[in-house]
Amino acid sequence: MTIFQTKTQTRHGASPRTAHPAHPATTIVPLYGEIDIFTSPALRERLLRVLRLSTGPLVLDLSRASFCDVSGLAVLVGTQRRARALGITLRLAAPRSQTVRLLRVTGLDRVLTTHGSDQGEPRPYSLPAQTRTGD
């Protein structure tokens, strides 16, 4: 089962409403468990809701996602397309080696920007100065 959440935090612990609009916050969505044909529909809906509320870059933290199949990749690609249409940058943080291999085999490693993993153990994504993380 995949559990996902969004957390909100801005520089110096300020409320997201006080963030300066010229510096939109980064939204980080940590994903847990398996991203597969059974969990992808709920994840897609969740990411669409997150995109509607986002004003800055969107980071999907995959460090705790134990598995991703092609239906999960479809959700990631669809989310990237929607994000791009809204002027939002999507990044994948710390994907596990199985996900990295799947991205390479499908050629999506050239389309989806990833940070924090190179076939080894996932490394934590280092947060930008202004970050939106929470629900």
Side-chain angles (χ1 to χ4, degrees):
M1 173 195 287
T2 299
I3 301 171
F4 35 87
Q5 61 186 20
T6 319
K7 298 181 181 178
T8 303
Q9 177 183 14
T10 57
R11 189 183 311 180
H12 308 298
S15 165
R17 292 184 200 136
T18 63
H20 192 278
H23 302 286
T26 297
T27 302
I28 299 177
V29 180
L31 303 178
Y32 303 91
E34 297 180 356
I35 304 171
D36 59 18
I37 194 166
F38 302 108
T39 60
S40 290
L43 178 59
R44 178 180 294 112
E45 291 305 312
R46 179 68 182 136
L47 293 177
L48 289 175
R49 284 193 302 271
V50 168
L51 275 175
R52 282 186 226 118
L53 300 173
S54 296
T55 58
L58 174 62
V59 176
L60 303 181
D61 180 357
L62 299 172
S63 63
R64 293 186 185 107
S66 59
F67 177 79
C68 183
D69 68 7
V70 293
S71 61
L73 286 183
V75 170
L76 299 179
V77 170
T79 301
Q80 182 195 40
R81 287 182 183 153
R82 288 175 178 90
R84 187 177 291 154
L86 296 169
I88 295 171
T89 303
L90 174 74
R91 295 184 188 107
L92 306 179
R96 293 187 179 224
S97 59
Q98 179 269 342
T99 304
V100 171
R101 282 191 302 273
L102 187 57
L103 289 169
R104 284 186 183 151
V105 166
T106 59
L108 291 173
D109 61 331
R110 290 171 279 178
V111 177
L112 295 167
T113 305
T114 61
H115 297 280
S117 181
D118 192 310
Q119 291 283 358
E121 284 299 310
R123 295 186 309 253
Y125 178 74
S126 97
L127 299 174
Q130 194 170 24
T131 306
R132 181 175 178 233
T133 55
D135 225 346

